[in-house]
Amino acid sequence: GCPSDMHCTDPNQSICTPIDKFPLWIPPTIGTIAVLLVGSIGGYLYVDQKRKEEARKRKELVSKMTEMEKIIEARKNIDNELSDLDQAVGDANRQRHSLIMKRAALLGKPSTWTPSSEILVPVKPEDEEYWSVLESLRVTMPDAHISQLWRVQNESLWSYYSFHKDRLEDNNIDPNERRVWHGTSSLDPRIVYADKMDGFMMQFAANGLWGRGIYFADKASYSKHYSHTPAGCETSKRERPGAKNDELEMFLTRLTIGKEKRLAQDRTLTIPPIDESTGNRYSSVTGETAGSQVWIIYENGRAYPEYLVRYYNGSWDKARTPYKSKDDARRSRRWSSSTSFQRELSTSSDIRQDALPTARQGSWEYLSDNGWLAYDSVGQ
């Protein structure tokens, strides 16, 4: 027989051949090759996945950039349109102001107005006008004293107010104009009296007992609760210095009430109701609150801030109010009764028609650059 490490290759078992052994280096080699192959395939798959992911991200980025470019372009177009609109609004406002000033040149002015380049014109305690305003104030506040009084001479604002008054008359509505009181609370009165466009504005209106509107009162004692405190307002200090801590300010205002509708309190109102007899809206709403009649308007231009009144209550202070009574003021050498102030407003009795010269009665005249001149002959 053959040894254990050999085997017979012939039938007679006379020839022994060594047994072939499996090379020991093959398994690790195969393992290494397998690992390398798996690693290569895995690496390839990872790189391919990363490449695809980056391609997807690039595509998304390009898409986002394209969308962003579209948004930027759309915003640019909107901004251009807004700019054009702002320009158009500015041009319209300038044209509006120009027309208002042209209209003002053709209008009469209140008979109380005096020549001045200032909008806020001081009224002296030696003027009849001063005491007329004080009498209106004291109807419901007998202990009130005026420390300073200003007349508001704002031509463009007066023209705008007159336009709205004429508009009512053109529609066969009695303007029903009267003087009423209005306090601006924390809002500096300058926002109203110095404005060239609207004056009292719905933009500043708060929601009240009769909805969101501009409120005016018959009694000064009611508006006192809404008076402005000038000593606590920096802009007031700059524009109208010298206010004491106990002094307040409010407007004595011209208001075109028009056709009014008396209503119970209704906070949902934004405009006056319809007048069923005409099919048109009432001009204003009125009602009673805190012992005073109030009127509410729901549009700009219907009120004119005629006087800004700075006042205090309590004992008379000579340092602030030089005359204790109208009689004391009358005895002053500086007393003037040239200005006229009427408690009850009429259609035109307190308007001075001085926009154009007026021809003298009883003669034929023509308007020249030097005023009205008489013709040399009837035939001329």
Side-chain angles (χ1 to χ4, degrees):
C2 294
S4 60
D5 58 344
M6 300 183 72
H7 64 88
C8 294
T9 59
D10 65 319
N12 297 320
Q13 297 183 353
S14 58
I15 300 174
C16 295
T17 303
I19 298 174
D20 293 334
K21 292 184 177 179
F22 188 78
L24 296 177
W25 57 268
I26 291 179
T29 301
I30 293 174
T32 301
I33 292 173
V35 169
L36 290 175
L37 183 60
V38 170
S40 298
I41 294 173
Y44 171 78
L45 293 176
Y46 174 78
V47 171
D48 185 62
Q49 180 65 27
K50 290 292 291 184
R51 186 164 53 246
K52 290 180 179 179
E53 182 69 19
E54 290 177 359
R56 184 183 63 80
K57 288 182 179 180
R58 281 197 300 271
K59 186 176 180 180
E60 289 181 356
L61 181 60
V62 170
S63 177
K64 288 181 180 180
M65 290 179 64
T66 302
E67 188 66 27
M68 183 61 68
E69 288 175 355
K70 291 180 180 178
I71 293 174
I72 292 174
E73 185 65 25
R75 288 178 59 181
K76 186 183 297 182
N77 292 336
I78 292 174
D79 289 342
N80 290 336
E81 290 182 15
L82 287 173
S83 178
D84 293 341
L85 185 60
D86 287 341
Q87 180 66 35
V89 170
D91 292 342
N93 284 334
R94 283 187 288 273
Q95 184 179 8
R96 179 175 181 263
H97 179 67
S98 176
L99 291 173
I100 287 174
M101 293 307 296
K102 288 179 180 178
R103 193 176 194 278
L106 299 174
L107 277 176
K109 302 173 186 177
S111 58
T112 53
W113 283 23
T114 55
S116 176
S117 59
E118 300 295 326
I119 289 178
L120 213 56
V121 180
V123 179
K124 299 178 180 179
E126 294 86 10
D127 292 338
E128 177 85 36
E129 185 180 6
Y130 174 99
W131 294 94
S132 297
V133 174
L134 180 59
E135 287 172 8
S136 297
L137 184 68
R138 284 181 171 173
V139 169
T140 56
M141 291 199 302
D143 66 336
H145 305 275
I146 293 179
S147 56
Q148 212 158 354
L149 176 66
W150 295 275
R151 184 192 315 112
V152 179
Q153 298 187 181
N154 186 329
E155 289 194 21
S156 59
L157 193 57
W158 172 255
S159 176
Y160 189 53
Y161 169 73
S162 300
F163 164 74
H164 282 273
K165 181 181 175 182
D166 292 344
R167 188 184 63 170
L168 291 174
E169 292 178 334
D170 291 342
N171 286 278
N172 298 317
I173 300 174
D174 181 2
N176 193 12
E177 185 182 31
R178 64 182 299 157
R179 285 190 174 97
V180 291
W181 297 94
H182 179 89
T184 60
S185 298
S186 60
L187 185 70
D188 185 357
R190 187 182 188 281
I191 300 296
V192 178
Y193 69 72
D195 186 56
K196 299 288 187 179
M197 306 295 285
D198 300 290
F200 294 100
M201 289 182 282
M202 280 293 297
Q203 289 87 333
F204 293 107
N207 196 65
L209 297 177
W210 282 269
R212 185 171 177 267
I214 309 174
Y215 288 67
F216 301 89
D218 179 50
K219 296 182 178 181
S221 57
Y222 176 85
S223 293
K224 175 186 177 180
H225 300 292
Y226 301 92
S227 291
H228 177 70
T229 305
C233 178
E234 291 301 322
T235 55
S236 297
K237 290 178 183 178
R238 292 193 298 271
E239 293 285 335
R240 304 176 305 280
K244 305 296 184 182
N245 290 332
D246 63 340
E247 292 180 343
L248 301 169
E249 292 177 344
M250 61 180 169
F251 285 115
L252 181 57
T253 304
R254 283 181 183 246
L255 175 67
T256 52
I257 296 171
K259 191 171 185 180
E260 60 190 341
K261 175 63 175 178
R262 184 176 291 271
L263 292 176
Q265 295 176 7
D266 182 355
R267 290 183 175 272
T268 66
L269 288 174
T270 55
I271 52 177
I274 295 290
D275 180 1
E276 295 181 359
S277 65
T278 64
N280 298 321
R281 292 194 181 278
Y282 284 95
S283 310
S284 61
V285 168
T286 186
E288 298 280 341
T289 179
S292 176
Q293 184 173 4
V294 294
W295 290 269
I296 306 93
I297 58 174
Y298 301 87
E299 61 178 329
N300 297 351
R302 293 272 301 285
Y304 179 80
E306 191 170 19
Y307 295 96
L308 178 61
V309 185
R310 178 178 289 178
Y311 67 97
Y312 61 97
N313 296 90
S315 301
W316 171 58
D317 182 356
K318 187 176 182 179
R320 291 186 279 181
T321 310
Y323 305 106
K324 192 171 185 179
S325 68
K326 184 176 179 179
D327 289 336
D328 291 342
R330 282 182 181 275
R331 287 190 283 270
S332 170
R333 294 180 179 180
R334 293 177 290 180
W335 173 260
S336 172
S337 58
S338 58
T339 54
S340 60
F341 176 98
Q342 294 182 332
R343 293 286 298 279
E344 298 299 328
L345 293 174
S346 59
T347 55
S348 60
S349 61
D350 62 339
I351 303 298
R352 187 176 71 249
Q353 299 292 341
D354 59 355
L356 292 173
T358 303
R360 292 188 296 274
Q361 298 293 324
S363 64
W364 289 95
E365 299 179 340
Y366 64 95
L367 183 61
S368 71
D369 293 337
N370 297 319
W372 288 96
L373 299 177
Y375 287 114
D376 295 330
S377 65
V378 177
Q380 185 181 2

